[in-house]
Amino acid sequence: MLGGILIFLGVLVFLVVIWVIGSYNGVITLRNSVDNAWAQIDVQLTRRHDLIPNLVKTAKGYLTHEKETLENVIKARTQATQATAVKDKQAAENFLTSTLRSLFAVVERYPDLKANQSMLKLHEEITSTENRIAFARQFYNDETMRHNTLIQQFPVNLIASSFNFSNKELFEIEDTSHKEVPEVNL
């Protein structure tokens, strides 16, 4: 009888240990996936940051009266490259996006600059990079949501709190362009 109880308790402890190991490994797998997704965003953000000096250099010759706009783009780029935390990076990238929009709005007023082949190519590359950032951001946010959901669910939350796993922050870039009502000219 005592032998049967000990075997039952041994099997129970073994199952609990297996469950703890499996839960821990599941959280680690998702945490690494979130880190990988963040690395993909960082690659695209770095690509965008690297394009901006060429963009400013190309525009500088044409925009002698728009010095403030160019300085804001450079300032925003500097802030974006120096930000490290997700929240700081998010704010800096939002500022950079708004200054780039201002720059492209100014470029529209200068037909020679707008038709410049270097400017056209840079504009196309930045647009392409923005799309890549959007895809990478979506993947990161999806993985972050999966990670956060897992560590909040019972009983995995017991393992997560025991090993100090915490929620990851979503990366959201404010895009006000989709909120604007499109103008229709008939």
Side-chain angles (χ1 to χ4, degrees), residues 3-16:
I5 292 174
L6 288 177
I7 290 174
F8 174 75
L9 289 176
V11 168
L12 188 62
V13 168
F14 177 75
L15 291 175
V16 168

Side-chain angles (χ1 to χ4, degrees), residues 97-133:
T97 299
S98 71
T99 60
L100 283 175
R101 283 206 178 105
S102 298
L103 176 61
F104 287 128
V106 168
V107 168
E108 291 291 322
R109 294 188 302 222
Y110 293 83
D112 291 343
L113 177 58
K114 188 177 171 186
N116 181 300
Q117 289 300 312
S118 294
M119 180 58 82
L120 289 172
K121 185 177 177 186
L122 284 167
H123 190 273
E124 184 179 310
E125 284 190 42
I126 286 178
T127 301
S128 170
T129 302
E130 296 290 339
N131 290 334
R132 292 178 187 179
I133 291 170

Side-chain angles (χ1 to χ4, degrees), residues 168-186:
K168 299 280 189 176
E169 294 180 48
L170 296 175
F171 185 67
E172 298 171 326
I173 294 180
E174 186 175 306
D175 184 7
T176 57
S177 65
H178 68 279
K179 295 178 183 172
E180 297 171 1
V181 177
E183 185 176 318
V184 178
N185 293 322
L186 300 176

